[in-house]
Amino acid sequence: MTKNYLFLFFSVLLINVANAQEEAPVSVTKNQFKINLLLSPGFVYEHAFSPKNTLYSEASLLVGYRSNSVYDESTWYFIPRITEQFRHYYNLEKRAQKGKRTANNSGNFFALHTNYDFQSISTNKWFNEYIPSFSAGPVWGLQRTYKGKFNMDFNIGGGILVDKCKTEFTPIANFSLGWVIGK
């Protein structure tokens, strides 16, 4: 008789554990590291504060090319950038219900975006120096991590740009391709 109760107890416990795993809330990854290789190479760390909110921190290098037809000169420029975003992922449950991936923070988000662009580390006497600047504003975006941990991140919005000469409205946009590293 005791064996029957013991069997019944473990059966109910096993069923509850299985149901709890199926009903577990979908949440963002606690700690995520990425390497962005295309467009603006850099390193990203995303830390979760709650099941839907993260702090996204990126150190990257903007790469550009300019030419001056008057002097028949051209140059590449490299601008170090630090970006911070407080992200709120709002559609993780809906994606999970539809059978879509939510791993590695694959979802849509709203964010408060800030970045600081440092002075260019390359110079050329025929071109204006790139002035350090700070920008901030709200953005909407999406991040997808596919099999093989290939990652695509896009966000767009508007905000203010401040440098030593002016303060003005600016569009904010970012698109990056890279890989999630780690688990």
Side-chain angles (χ1 to χ4, degrees), residues 55-66:
L55 179 64
Y56 174 96
S57 303
E58 178 179 8
S60 60
L61 188 65
L62 298 176
V63 179
Y65 179 80
R66 295 192 288 190

Side-chain angles (χ1 to χ4, degrees), residues 56-91:
Y56 174 96
S57 303
E58 178 179 8
S60 60
L61 188 65
L62 298 176
V63 179
Y65 179 80
R66 295 192 288 190
S67 64
N68 186 328
S69 60
V70 174
Y71 297 105
D72 196 28
E73 291 272 334
S74 60
T75 187
W76 287 90
Y77 59 92
F78 305 94
I79 302 167
R81 170 183 274 180
I82 294 176
T83 301
E84 296 290 331
Q85 291 182 344
F86 182 76
R87 291 182 172 184
H88 173 73
Y89 290 87
Y90 63 87
N91 74 331

